[in-house]
Amino acid sequence: MVDLTSSRSLDGPRGPKPKRSFSRANIFLYGTLIVVSVYYLLPLYVMVVTSLKGMPEIRTGNIFSPPLEITFQPWVKAWAQACTGINCDGLSRGFGNSVKILIPSVVLSIAIASINGYALARWRFKGSEVFFSILIVGAFIPYQTMLYPLVIILREIGLMGDLGGLVLVHTIFGMPILTLLFRNYFASIPEDLHKAARVDGAGFWSIYFRIMLPMSLPIFVVAIILQVTGIWNDFLFGVIYTKPETYPMTVQLNNIVNSVQGVKEYNVNMAATLLTGLVPLIIYFVSGKLFVRGIAAGAVKG
Amino acid sequence: MSDLSSINTSERKQAQRPVSLFRNLSAKIASIPMILTALVVFVGGTAWTVVHSFTSSKLLPKTNFVGFEQYERLWTTRRWLVSLENLALYGILSLVFTLVIGFTLAALLDRKIRGENVFRTIFLYPFALSFIVTGLAWQWILNPDLGIQHVVRSLGWESFTFNPLNDPDIVMYGILIAGLWQGTGLIMVIMLAGLRGIDEDIWKAARVDGIGTVKTYVVVIIPMMRPVFVTALVLIASGIIKLYDLVVALTNGGPGIASEVPAKYVIQYMFRAQNLGQGFAASTMMLVSVAIILIPWAYLEFGGRKRG
C-alpha cells in the first residue's frame, strides 16, 4: 500500500484532476465581469470617439460608432476658443487657474497636516486630542453650514474671490482627513526612534525634518494623490469662492457645456470634458496601487 | 501645591515640568492651524450659521431674530420638500445599489481570477473623475436626440423611450445611473480589502461543512465584515448628503424643479436668491439630518468602548 502510493507519486502529479478553465462557473464569472467592464468603460469610450468626430457626423451617426474621419479640431477649439460668457479663450484659462490653485493648496495643506499629525502622534499636549476630535467630527458637517462664515472670514482678510482664498479653503477642508492620515502613520513609527532622538537632544522640528520626514515618503505620496485629485475635481468651493476670471477648470467646463446660448457642439464639449478629466485620470493610471492605498486610508475610521 | 514648591526640590521640579503653558511649545505653535480650523471654522462657523438661521437676514446677515419663521417658510416651500424627497429616493437607492454592486464586484474579484488588476482598474477609474465630468459624460450618453435612445430607435425599435434626464418622474434614476458609475468602484475596493482580511481557514471550514459559495458569503462572510460595511455605509451616506455637483452638471435641478436636492437649495438661496436666512435654515436642517444619522452610529461604535 505504502509502496504503491510512493511509486505513483513518482509517475506524475497527484490529487484530483484540475478543473477545466472553461467550467460553467468560470464562464459566468468572467462573463459578468466583462459585461460590467463594458458599462464602466462605455462613457470614456463615447467621450473619446465623440471628441474625434465632426459635428455633421455626430448628427447623422450614432454615438457608439468610431469616427469615420478623425479630427482634432474639437480639442483645439475646446482648449483655445470655447466660450464662457463673453470670454472666448477656451479651457486653457481654467486649466491655468486650476494649476495655480492646485500647487499651493497641495503644498500648504500637506505641510500643515503633516506637522499637525506629527504633533498629535508624538507631542500630545493638554487638549490636543479634543481639538483633533472636533476636527474629525467637523469632517462630517455638511460644507453648506460653513460656507457663509468662510465668505465673511475671507472678505475680512481680503482674499474673497482671490485664488489665495480658495487655497485657504482647500487647506481647511483637507485638514481632517490629512491630519488623520499623518497622525496614524507617524504613530506607527516605533516610538523608540523618537525617544532615542530626544535623548540625543533633538527637538520638535529637528525630529520632524531629520527623522520623520525622510521615513514617511510613501504617506506623502498618498497624501499628494488624495489632494491633487480632490482639489482638481472640486466644483463647490470653486464656484463660491472665486469670480469668473479665476474660475477653476471644473467650473469653467460646466459653464461651457451647460451654457444655453448658441448651437451645442457636442464634440467640443466632450473634448473639454476629457481635458478636465485628464489630470486625475493620468494620476490614477500612473499611481495604481498608491491611489487605492490613498482611498483606503481615506476610508479608515478615526 | 505651595507645600511642594516650598520644599527645596524646585530645581528638579523645573526639569520635569516648566510652566505648563510653555511646555511642549513647538507642538502647540504647530497645532495653531488645526486649533483655529477646529474652533473658528468648524465650531464657530457652524454655530454662526445655526444662530443666523433664526434671523430675517436677506442680502446681508443681520441679527434681528424672528424665531422659527425661516423654518416655517422652509417646510412650506415646495422646492425644499421636493429636494428632500429626491434626496431620500436617491439616498436609499444609492445606498442599496452601491453596497450590493460594490460587494458583488469585490466578491467576483476575490475568486482568484486572472486579470484582477485590469478589472479593478476599470471599475475604479470613474472615481478619479469629478462629478462634473461624470455628469457631462452621462448627459451626453442619455441625450434623447443622439444618445442611447436614438441608437436603439435607429436599430428598429421605434417606440423605445429612455429619456430620464427630461422626464420629471424618472430624472432621479438618471442621476443615480451616473452616481453609481462614479462611486461603486470605491466601495468595491473597500469591500475587497475586507474580503482579503478574512482568514482562508473560514473558507476551508465552510467547504468541509458543505456550504455553497454564495451561501458562505451571505451567512458567514458578510456578518464577519460588519466593520467594513459600517465604514462603507458612513462613506456612502456622507457622499449622498453632499450630492450637488452631479445634479448641477446633469440637469441643473430640472426639468423644472424635479431633480433639486437640499445642497443645491442652500446654495441657491445663499448665493443666488440673496435670501440668506432661508439658506441658513436649510443648511441647519442638513446638519440636523447628518447628526441624526451620525450620533447613533458614533454611539454604537464608540459608546461601548470609551466616552466621546
Side-chain angles (χ1 to χ4, degrees):
Chain A
M1 192 62 187
V2 177
D3 234 326
L4 227 155
T5 43
S6 66
S7 74
R8 224 179 25 184
S9 74
L10 290 173
D11 288 337
R14 288 198 300 169
K17 197 175 149 196
K19 275 190 204 156
R20 286 184 305 137
S21 49
F22 282 103
S23 68
R24 201 185 295 162
N26 265 357
I27 291 174
F28 172 76
L29 192 66
Y30 285 99
T32 313
L33 285 172
I34 288 167
V35 169
V36 178
S37 299
V38 169
Y39 166 72
Y40 279 92
L41 285 174
L42 197 69
L44 189 62
Y45 168 78
V46 169
M47 278 194 278
V48 171
V49 294
T50 306
S51 72
L52 297 174
K53 290 177 193 171
M55 268 317 282
E57 200 187 325
I58 290 174
R59 278 194 213 95
T60 54
N62 89 44
I63 56 166
F64 300 118
S65 60
L68 298 170
E69 223 177 298
I70 291 180
T71 165
F72 290 99
Q73 192 52 39
W75 286 75
V76 175
K77 193 165 181 199
W79 178 254
Q81 293 152 23
C83 294
T84 40
I86 46 162
N87 294 312
C88 283
D89 48 3
L91 264 179
S92 52
R93 192 158 45 92
F95 180 85
N97 286 338
S98 274
V99 171
K100 275 185 245 163
I101 295 162
L102 184 73
I103 292 171
S105 303
V106 170
V107 171
L108 190 66
S109 62
I110 290 178
I112 288 179
S114 65
I115 294 168
N116 269 340
Y118 162 66
L120 286 166
R122 287 284 173 258
W123 298 83
R124 286 187 197 171
F125 53 89
K126 211 173 170 188
S128 64
E129 287 298 293
V130 176
F131 294 123
F132 179 64
S133 304
I134 295 174
L135 203 67
I136 297 301
V137 171
F140 291 102
I141 300 175
Y143 294 141
Q144 277 73 15
T145 51
M146 296 174 279
L147 287 179
Y148 204 85
L150 269 174
V151 169
I152 297 174
I153 292 172
L154 291 182
R155 205 181 279 145
E156 288 300 313
I157 56 178
L159 287 176
M160 185 63 199
D162 202 70
L163 290 180
L166 195 54
V167 168
L168 196 64
V169 171
H170 281 305
T171 306
I172 287 170
F173 287 113
M175 206 182 282
I177 181 64
L178 288 180
T179 305
L180 178 70
L181 189 71
F182 281 107
R183 188 191 83 131
N184 289 353
Y185 186 84
F186 290 136
S188 73
I189 292 179
E191 194 166 6
D192 291 344
L193 214 66
H194 177 78
K195 282 179 181 158
R198 292 214 60 188
V199 168
D200 288 346
F204 183 88
W205 295 107
S206 62
I207 294 179
Y208 175 77
F209 281 111
R210 290 163 69 181
I211 295 172
M212 293 300 189
L213 213 56
M215 282 184 74
S216 43
L217 200 65
I219 204 70
F220 274 91
V221 176
V222 167
I224 289 171
I225 293 169
L226 206 67
Q227 282 298 83
V228 171
T229 47
I231 292 169
W232 191 270
N233 288 341
D234 162 68
F235 175 79
L236 179 64
F237 300 139
V239 87
I240 286 171
Y241 298 111
T242 57
K243 45 184 187 273
E245 304 86 71
T246 50
Y247 273 163
M249 204 171 183
T250 45
V251 179
Q252 206 195 353
L253 170 73
N254 188 51
N255 289 350
I256 289 176
V257 177
N258 279 332
S259 78
V260 279
Q261 303 142 333
V263 186
K264 288 231 172 199
E265 289 183 285
Y266 297 110
N267 51 358
V268 176
N269 290 350
M270 284 304 113
T273 309
L274 275 174
L275 277 171
T276 312
L278 220 49
V279 169
L281 272 188
I282 289 171
I283 288 175
Y284 172 69
F285 285 117
V286 170
S287 64
K289 279 246 160 72
L290 278 170
F291 185 90
V292 176
R293 218 181 125 188
I295 60 170
V300 293
K301 309 178 301 208
Chain B
M1 190 65 191
S2 60
D3 207 322
L4 258 166
S5 55
S6 66
I7 301 170
N8 195 13
T9 51
S10 60
E11 214 180 292
R12 214 192 69 200
K13 240 195 104 228
Q14 210 165 28
Q16 275 178 349
R17 49 168 53 215
V19 187
S20 70
L21 186 66
F22 295 109
R23 200 167 145 261
N24 209 345
L25 187 65
S26 301
K28 283 175 186 168
I29 291 171
S31 302
I32 286 174
M34 175 184 82
I35 294 170
L36 283 180
T37 300
L39 293 186
V40 177
V41 181
F42 289 177
V43 175
T46 305
W48 190 93
T49 300
V50 173
V51 168
H52 281 76
S53 72
F54 295 102
T55 67
S56 63
S57 306
K58 280 281 184 197
L59 179 60
L60 289 167
K62 284 179 284 189
T63 46
N64 44 340
F65 291 94
V66 291
F68 283 90
E69 204 175 278
Q70 296 287 4
Y71 291 91
E72 280 162 26
R73 278 257 315 277
L74 184 69
W75 286 101
T76 49
T77 306
R78 212 175 86 78
R79 189 189 178 120
W80 173 252
L81 299 175
V82 171
S83 299
L84 278 187
E85 213 174 284
N86 283 339
L87 191 70
L89 177 73
Y90 179 90
I92 291 166
L93 291 178
S94 161
L95 203 62
V96 171
F97 279 108
T98 311
L99 283 177
V100 170
I101 296 172
F103 183 80
T104 310
L105 290 180
L108 289 177
L109 287 188
D110 197 39
R111 303 306 300 165
K112 298 190 182 68
I113 58 153
R114 269 163 219 242
E116 185 200 314
N117 279 336
V118 176
F119 284 117
R120 203 195 52 216
T121 306
I122 291 172
F123 297 153
L124 187 59
Y125 89 87
F127 185 70
L129 294 171
S130 63
F131 280 122
I132 297 294
V133 169
T134 304
L136 296 178
W138 280 97
Q139 188 194 57
W140 170 231
I141 292 170
L142 297 175
N143 185 305
D145 301 325
L146 296 164
I148 288 184
Q149 177 174 287
H150 171 73
V151 172
V152 175
R153 280 185 184 174
S154 66
L155 288 174
W157 186 0
E158 293 289 340
S159 63
F160 178 80
T161 311
F162 187 66
N163 186 10
L165 298 185
N166 295 305
D167 183 342
D169 294 330
I170 56 168
V171 62
M172 288 316 288
Y173 300 97
I175 294 171
L176 185 69
I177 292 174
L180 289 177
W181 179 77
Q182 205 263 0
T184 38
L186 167 72
I187 301 304
M188 177 204 72
V189 166
I190 289 165
M191 295 284 183
L192 192 56
L195 284 172
R196 290 285 145 83
I198 286 190
D199 201 331
E200 194 66 19
D201 290 345
I202 302 284
W203 279 104
K204 284 179 188 156
R207 209 162 302 146
V208 167
D209 287 347
I211 306 173
T213 309
V214 175
K215 201 179 170 195
T216 310
Y217 272 118
V218 176
V219 180
V220 183
I221 304 295
I222 291 180
M224 285 181 74
M225 280 173 56
R226 188 183 159 273
V228 180
F229 271 87
V230 171
T231 306
L233 211 70
V234 171
L235 273 180
I236 302 169
S238 59
I240 288 167
I241 296 262
K242 284 179 190 153
L243 179 67
Y244 171 70
D245 323 16
L246 190 61
V247 175
V248 170
L250 265 173
T251 63
N252 203 18
I257 56 165
S259 60
E260 289 287 340
V261 286
K264 197 165 166 295
Y265 185 95
V266 173
I267 308 289
Q268 176 69 31
Y269 277 87
M270 264 191 213
F271 297 100
R272 308 274 180 272
Q274 292 168 341
N275 190 343
L276 285 174
Q278 268 296 291
F280 296 149
S283 58
T284 305
M285 288 317 303
M286 287 179 72
L287 179 68
V288 170
S289 50
V290 169
I292 288 172
I293 297 168
L294 274 183
I295 288 173
W297 168 73
Y299 187 76
L300 283 176
E301 282 296 298
F302 306 110
R305 269 175 282 151
K306 60 174 185 187
R307 305 253 302 125

